[in-house]
Amino acid sequence: MGKKLKIFILYAKLLLDFAIDFFFSLYWDKRKKPIPDLESKHAILKESATALAKKIRNKELKSEDLVRAVVERIKEVNPIINAIAADRYEAALTEAREVDRLVAVGLSEQEWQKKPFLGVPFTTKESQAIKGMPLTMGLWSRRKEVASEDSEAIIRLKNAGAIPIGSSNLPELLVWQETRNLVYGMTNNPHHTGRSPGGSSGAEAALTASYATTISLCSDLGGSTRMPAFYCGMFGHHPTPGSTNLRGVFFRNGDEESMFSLGFIAKHVEDLAPLTKIVAGDKAKGLNLDKDVDIKNIKFYYLESTNDVCVSSVRAELKGAMKRAISKITQELTTADAPQPYHHEGFNHMYVLWKYWMTKEPDNTALLYTNNTTEANGILELIKKVCGLSKHCLFSVVRLIELQFLPAVDSAWAEKLTKEFKDDIFTKLGENGVLLMPSAPHVAPYHYSCLLRPFNFAYFAVVNALKCPATQVPLGKDSQGLPLGIQVLAAPNNDGLCLTVARYLEKEFGGSVMACKSK
């Protein structure tokens, strides 16, 4: 592509982006609703899950009081953000009272070690099977489906003492940048209710940013943990794919080769490693989460932007946040080499590479579309949508058309480029290097505007294509009060490096960006 054409495309995309934001703002900015401040009686919800578990163990906090506080907070904010798909509040309170009885009687040290989050409530995306709870995947055709058993991750969290309190909203069939479907409706970003909280774990991020959950179990196939964390100002970790058991999540049996991984969104970095250990089980040791890392020995690289024509240009305030992080690291941490820029041709094809590797996932979208009754036809579904007869969201209809009627990615080219990309970046990073990279071209977008910029999640998706870990880190707010942030990427099984850098940046830049004040 010629230099002049590239410049033209760059400016054309910028103009389009500003036009989209301007016109959507005329509608949504007038409809923004504030999130109620956290009352002093619920101040305990500011603390990390790790700290809450410790308080329960030390008999400084009753599990029942904690669960009740979460329930009350959810009931306060959910009418505004619409995050909860289904609840089990009374059952959770009953289980919390049983925890309090056990704590009062006394548990052995061995029992405490097996239950590090005893009495702490959690929420999870509705695609995670919880026995007796809805399992619709956001599909109208599955609106009466109920899970017959717990997923492996739910079993492991329960065994660790955590209490499921409810399941949260999700986009239809998970793959979209908003959290919306015809079963539960649309979830709003608590920082600006006219904007997307991200997808597919947008409801989890919205709850976390509103002090309405203490543990948030998510999953990530194309940024579904990290994107919502970014849009809502939270931390989110995507573990090395293959390290977490997927049985009972989005029709998976747990044996598939996949770039899908379970992860968590959190207000505090300190929760991410211990929670990841639980869902990783025996594979947790391979993630080096407990590795003693001197941050001054970490090699830093950074990516400011790419030339991927599918995505928008990175906005100035996001570039500024990246530069502030690099400047801080340069001044305080590096004794020899300052952070170095990094780029590879693969970053110029982020969306296309992810699109190709999605074809290797076990899911048959056309079949899932009809709850496994017959394969849907994208063109017919579009006609039905135009005529008001469709029971699907427009984004999932467009996705189906893309899969069925647009040209496939050249497999030889994609596999060759991916291999070269992995070889180069992981050789560069080694066992003690991280890459700081943009989270997205812009902050949380207005509702429905993603339909006009459908590929802007590619900065997240390329991480999935590389099958490596990454942590989303908030870096304050932009001029509109919306969260800024970056991703920290490492070579496979070096999750501990990502979290070490996240802890440092949390300390230096103030940590999570909450959507309301606490009294």
Side-chain angles (χ1 to χ4, degrees):
M1 188 183 295
K3 185 177 180 181
K4 290 184 178 179
L5 181 57
K6 286 182 179 179
I7 293 174
F8 173 78
I9 291 174
L10 171 65
Y11 282 102
K13 288 192 296 184
L14 280 173
L15 286 173
L16 177 62
D17 279 344
F18 283 115
I20 290 170
D21 287 343
F22 172 73
F23 286 110
F24 277 81
S25 71
L26 297 178
Y27 180 85
W28 288 112
D29 282 353
K30 295 184 293 186
R31 289 162 174 78
K32 177 182 177 181
K33 296 179 181 179
I35 301 300
D37 290 341
L38 185 71
E39 296 183 19
S40 56
K41 66 178 181 178
H42 295 148
I44 195 73
L45 300 181
K46 293 188 291 183
E47 300 199 28
S48 68
T50 305
L52 294 170
K54 185 177 180 180
K55 286 181 180 293
I56 290 172
R57 176 173 180 168
N58 293 338
K59 300 181 181 179
E60 299 170 8
L61 173 68
K62 288 186 178 296
S63 175
E64 181 181 2
D65 293 338
L66 176 58
V67 170
R68 194 176 302 282
V70 173
V71 170
E72 290 175 355
R73 181 60 180 170
I74 288 175
K75 289 181 177 179
E76 192 173 20
V77 303
N78 198 58
I80 300 171
I81 60 175
N82 188 38
I84 293 295
D87 69 74
R88 56 186 308 278
Y89 300 152
E90 292 306 318
L93 286 165
T94 298
E95 290 163 13
R97 285 189 281 271
E98 176 60 18
V99 166
D100 292 334
R101 187 190 67 78
L102 291 173
V103 172
V105 172
L107 295 171
S108 67
E109 180 62 28
Q110 186 178 21
E111 289 173 311
W112 279 112
Q113 290 296 321
K114 290 180 179 179
K115 298 182 179 297
F117 288 97
L118 183 63
V120 181
F122 73 92
T123 54
T124 185
K125 195 161 47 179
E126 193 247 41
S127 54
Q128 190 86 235
I130 303 177
K131 186 176 180 179
M133 298 280 281
L135 194 63
T136 71
M137 311 295 175
L139 285 169
W140 184 259
S141 60
R142 289 181 58 86
R143 64 191 182 281
K144 296 181 180 179
E145 297 285 341
V146 173
S148 60
E149 60 181 1
D150 289 337
S151 72
E152 183 62 30
I154 297 299
I155 291 171
R156 292 180 182 186
L157 277 171
K158 285 183 174 181
N159 288 341
I163 300 172
I165 198 169
S167 59
S168 61
N169 200 12
L170 70 175
E172 185 177 357
L173 288 177
L174 275 67
V175 184
W176 189 236
Q177 302 165 66
E178 292 203 64
T179 297
R180 180 173 65 251
N181 58 71
L182 298 185
V183 182
Y184 303 118
M186 181 168 69
T187 298
N188 301 315
N189 189 317
H191 290 278
H192 187 309
T193 53
R195 293 177 181 261
S196 169
S200 59
S201 304
E204 286 300 314
L207 289 167
T208 306
S210 303
Y211 296 110
T213 188
T214 48
I215 295 175
S216 175
L217 173 62
C218 306
S219 59
D220 193 320
L221 182 58
S224 293
T225 296
R226 292 159 290 135
M227 181 200 306
F230 169 49
Y231 287 166
C232 293
M234 300 294 104
F235 294 93
H237 184 62
H238 169 66
T240 301
S243 64
T244 59
N245 191 300
L246 302 176
R247 187 190 65 77
V249 186
F250 192 56
F251 308 111
R252 301 300 177 93
N253 59 35
D255 299 325
E256 305 93 343
E257 176 72 20
S258 179
M259 54 185 179
F260 202 8
S261 192
L262 304 182
F264 291 88
I265 289 174
K267 299 186 292 291
H268 306 274
V269 176
E270 71 171 348
D271 284 340
L272 295 174
L275 288 169
T276 299
K277 287 179 187 177
I278 291 169
V279 295
D282 293 339
K283 294 184 178 180
K285 292 181 180 178
L287 301 179
N288 292 300
L289 294 167
D290 294 323
K291 185 177 179 180
D292 186 15
V293 180
D294 184 343
I295 195 167
K296 292 186 177 181
N297 292 330
I298 294 177
K299 296 185 297 182
F300 287 91
Y301 299 90
Y302 63 91
L303 173 77
E304 287 191 306
S305 61
T306 77
N307 295 317
D308 190 331
V309 296
C310 293
V311 303
S312 301
S313 300
V314 177
R315 296 291 179 87
E317 288 190 88
L318 285 166
K319 287 184 177 180
M322 171 76 78
K323 289 178 180 177
R324 288 192 294 275
I326 293 170
S327 177
K328 177 67 68 173
I329 289 166
T330 302
Q331 293 171 13
E332 296 190 359
L333 300 182
T334 53
T335 56
D337 297 328
Q340 298 294 311
Y342 174 81
H343 194 271
H344 187 274
E345 177 65 15
F347 278 121
N348 295 335
H349 306 279
M350 298 184 293
Y351 174 72
V352 176
L353 289 178
W354 176 82
K355 177 182 176 182
Y356 171 74
W357 288 107
M358 278 293 286
T359 66
K360 303 300 180 183
E361 294 292 318
D363 316 305
N364 183 334
T365 301
L367 195 56
L368 295 178
Y369 209 84
T370 64
N371 196 21
N372 296 308
T373 57
T374 185
E375 289 200 5
N377 179 286
I379 298 298
L380 291 178
E381 289 299 329
L382 180 60
I383 293 171
K384 289 164 64 177
K385 188 70 180 176
V386 171
C387 295
L389 301 175
S390 176
K391 290 295 185 180
H392 299 282
C393 294
L394 180 58
F395 62 79
S396 63
V397 176
V398 173
R399 169 77 177 148
L400 189 59
I401 291 173
E402 178 190 25
L403 292 174
Q404 293 180 330
F405 298 102
L406 295 189
V409 179
D410 183 284
S411 60
W413 170 84
E415 295 194 15
K416 180 176 182 291
L417 181 57
T418 303
K419 183 181 185 306
E420 293 172 350
F421 195 2
K422 287 182 175 181
D423 289 345
D424 188 76
I425 190 172
F426 298 150
T427 298
K428 177 74 74 173
L429 296 179
E431 298 299 311
N432 68 329
V434 298
L435 175 70
L436 308 181
M437 62 179 287
S439 301
H442 49 64
V443 295
Y446 287 104
H447 286 310
Y448 297 98
S449 67
C450 295
L451 287 165
L452 301 177
R453 297 176 287 200
F455 309 124
N456 277 351
F457 70 98
Y459 279 100
F460 297 110
V462 71
V463 175
N464 297 83
L466 290 170
K467 292 189 176 180
C468 63
T471 303
Q472 173 60 39
V473 179
L475 294 177
K477 301 178 182 179
D478 71 358
S479 57
Q480 302 176 81
L482 298 171
L484 299 167
I486 59 173
Q487 294 184 86
V488 181
L489 177 155
N493 300 313
N494 282 288
D495 296 55
L497 288 179
C498 297
L499 296 179
T500 296
V501 175
R503 279 191 292 272
Y504 169 77
L505 294 174
E506 177 182 37
K507 175 176 172 291
E508 295 298 326
F509 289 89
S512 57
V513 181
M514 304 307 296
C516 58
K517 297 178 181 179
S518 57
K519 295 179 180 179

